[in-house]
Amino acid sequence: EFSKDKNNVYYYGNKMKGISPVGLEFVDSNFKNGEDIISFFKTKDKVYALKTRTGKEAYEIVPLNFDATSFKDSNADNPYGSKFEGYFQDKNGVYYFDMSKLDKLTPNNILSKVENADIPSFVQYMAGYAKDKNKVYCGTKEVKGADVESFAAFTIDGEDIIKDKNK
């Protein structure tokens, strides 16, 4: 679907206006809802959200205000990642993406900040859960009373299990 040369980036052979090929890197493109696909990519100095449709040449692209050099998928090492939600981070914070809450692509509704998350210790689990050295999160909200040290998320016989030493 995508290609580039030294001057341009192309989608289905059509030039994508205003997108530099310098440092082009897809950060994640696993979010699907029906035929809609949301992908995140970055260039040397910009981060973008891209909405495409399965098998279609049309696309919608929105530039995002994140640090391109440090923007990454918090889920990159998680084999249980979701097709509908996930966490991203840059040097300024941790952000949550929920495909089911995305009606229209705008710079302000794509990623929601997880307030006061500790960036270096932040780890994403499955089913919209994550933790850092201080808190457990579900989406952008802290899970009150959850024990950070014993918190775990896993699958047994196809069932997602979310637990800590208390529950």
Side-chain angles (χ1 to χ4, degrees):
E1 299 166 353
F2 293 91
S3 59
K4 71 176 185 171
D5 60 25
K6 68 179 185 167
N7 299 315
N8 299 297
V9 176
Y10 303 90
Y11 182 64
Y12 279 102
N14 298 311
K15 180 179 167 184
M16 297 177 78
K17 294 181 182 178
I19 307 298
S20 169
V22 178
L24 179 69
E25 176 185 341
F26 277 85
V27 179
D28 202 312
S29 60
N30 291 331
F31 303 105
K32 298 179 182 179
N33 188 8
E35 292 184 7
D36 290 334
I37 302 168
I38 301 293
S39 303
F40 292 92
F41 71 94
K42 62 184 181 177
T43 61
K44 178 183 166 199
D45 57 355
K46 295 264 187 199
V47 176
Y48 300 92
L50 173 70
K51 181 178 181 181
T52 59
R53 294 209 119 198
T54 303
K56 305 289 183 189
E57 294 181 23
Y59 66 89
E60 183 180 351
I61 191 164
V62 175
L64 302 174
N65 190 24
F66 296 103
D67 178 69
T69 58
S70 63
F71 186 79
K72 68 178 189 172
D73 178 1
S74 295
N75 191 36
D77 298 326
N78 183 351
Y80 301 107
S82 170
K83 299 284 186 198
F84 301 104
E85 59 199 355
Y87 291 91
F88 293 84
Q89 60 193 78
D90 69 5
K91 70 179 185 177
N92 301 310
V94 175
Y95 312 93
Y96 181 67
F97 174 77
D98 185 348
M99 181 85 170
S100 68
K101 294 182 180 177
L102 188 64
D103 295 329
K104 183 164 175 57
L105 222 54
T106 70
N108 297 325
N109 76 341
I110 297 171
L111 294 171
S112 303
K113 189 166 188 177
V114 179
E115 294 299 331
N116 302 312
D118 181 69
I119 301 166
S121 67
F122 191 86
V123 178
Q124 177 172 330
Y125 288 88
M126 56 196 288
Y129 285 89
K131 75 176 185 178
D132 62 22
K133 69 181 183 178
N134 303 311
K135 301 174 188 171
V136 173
Y137 305 92
C138 183
T140 59
K141 306 288 186 207
E142 178 183 355
V143 179
K144 300 285 185 187
D147 179 68
V148 173
E149 285 192 32
S150 65
F151 178 81
F154 49 91
T155 301
I156 296 177
D157 296 330
E159 184 178 346
D160 293 341
I161 308 293
I162 312 297
K163 66 178 243 160
D164 68 4
K165 71 179 185 179
N166 301 320
K167 347 180 179 178

